[in-house]
Amino acid sequence: MNFIFLGPPGAGKGTLAVDVATEYGIPQISTGDIFRENIKNETELGKKVKSITASGGLVSDDIVIALVEDRIKKDDCKNGFILDGFPRTIPQAEAFEKICPDVKVINFEADNELIIARLSNRRVCKSCGANYNAKFRPPKVEGKCDKCGGELYTRDDDKLEAITHRLEVYREQTEPLIGFYKKLGKITDIESGRDSKEVFVDFKKIFPK
């Protein structure tokens, strides 16, 4: 099964994507990961992305779409995939429809107060990148990673001003995708302002393997 996960930052897309990827045996794909992989492997598209981002520019839709199309053709996607963070705009969604029309879209719904609480309390390990939440899922020892003992910190984009801006950008640019996919009859809403285990149970009922 092919999935697109839609929803504002902090709605729980990433957490569920990890569980679904493991349970269903399909990869979780983010555009950020694709960019980094292509830059690391010095592909032609990777060189273009590196040049654009180094100059502070935004990667154009045609390059993003080409990178995603290339990624979903890889062997690990033969049973499906989860796209997290793509598409971000209507033009990207329209282009992807021509590449892969067989996709199920999940819209993660959570209110702004919960999203802000989740993101502003998120802590990330400097060493291994593990995620915690000071309020909802704290580490065993404050400020220390359970997995490797590394120092936990708050990312700049998890500070209140940045969170507010990220939500505004989402509402303006990405939220219109909900209407786009509703017209195509491809979207399923899921209430994600709950414990992630409950959300996962519901997901498996809606999309049995």
Side-chain angles (χ1 to χ4, degrees):
M1 281 183 274
N2 306 321
F3 297 106
I4 289 173
F5 281 9
L6 283 183
K13 301 186 302 297
T15 301
L16 188 68
V18 171
D19 291 336
V20 173
T22 302
E23 178 84 9
Y24 289 63
I26 57 177
Q28 174 192 4
I29 301 169
S30 76
T31 49
D33 290 341
I34 297 174
F35 289 174
R36 284 186 285 273
E37 182 183 343
N38 278 269
I39 290 169
K40 180 183 175 184
N41 294 332
E42 297 187 333
T43 67
E44 286 305 310
L45 285 169
K47 289 173 185 175
K48 287 182 182 178
V49 170
K50 187 175 181 179
S51 172
I52 293 164
T53 54
S55 63
L58 292 173
V59 181
S60 63
D61 280 352
D62 60 333
I63 293 177
V64 175
I65 291 155
L67 286 165
V68 172
E69 183 176 13
D70 177 69
R71 177 66 184 86
I72 65 172
K73 287 178 179 176
K74 296 191 184 300
D75 287 345
D76 64 340
C77 293
K78 64 175 184 270
N79 295 321
F81 53 78
I82 303 161
L83 287 175
D84 179 6
F86 175 90
R88 290 186 183 273
T89 62
I90 297 290
Q92 288 182 1
E94 289 173 338
F96 193 68
E97 273 296 301
K98 295 174 183 175
I99 296 165
C100 182
D102 179 22
V103 68
K104 303 176 192 304
V105 183
I106 320 303
N107 177 38
F108 289 72
E109 297 183 316
D111 65 47
N112 275 10
E113 278 187 28
L114 177 62
I115 287 170
I116 290 168
R118 281 178 172 174
L119 293 179
S120 61
N121 285 286
R122 181 160 61 181
R123 304 292 183 264
V124 181
C125 176
K126 285 185 176 180
S127 300
C128 73
N131 278 269
Y132 299 88
N133 190 288
K135 185 173 182 179
F136 302 109
R137 194 166 56 89
K140 292 172 184 173
V141 178
E142 187 176 348
K144 296 289 181 185
C145 176
D146 293 350
K147 295 179 181 178
C148 72
E151 181 186 349
L152 303 183
Y153 75 105
T154 302
R155 296 183 343 190
D156 286 342
D157 61 352
D158 285 338
K159 292 172 183 173
L160 187 57
E161 187 176 333
I163 293 168
T164 303
H165 176 67
R166 288 166 68 194
L167 288 172
E168 286 172 357
V169 170
Y170 172 77
R171 303 295 181 205
E172 289 172 13
Q173 295 184 6
T174 310
E175 203 169 53
L177 289 169
I178 297 169
F180 174 82
Y181 283 116
K182 274 186 177 170
K183 284 181 182 176
L184 295 177
K186 293 186 176 183
I187 202 159
T188 299
D189 295 331
I190 193 162
E191 172 51 55
S192 60
R194 300 171 288 157
D195 184 276
S196 60
K197 291 177 183 175
E198 292 178 23
V199 178
F200 189 34
V201 167
D202 281 356
F203 182 93
K204 288 189 287 185
K205 287 177 183 174
I206 299 167
F207 303 106
K209 287 195 291 180

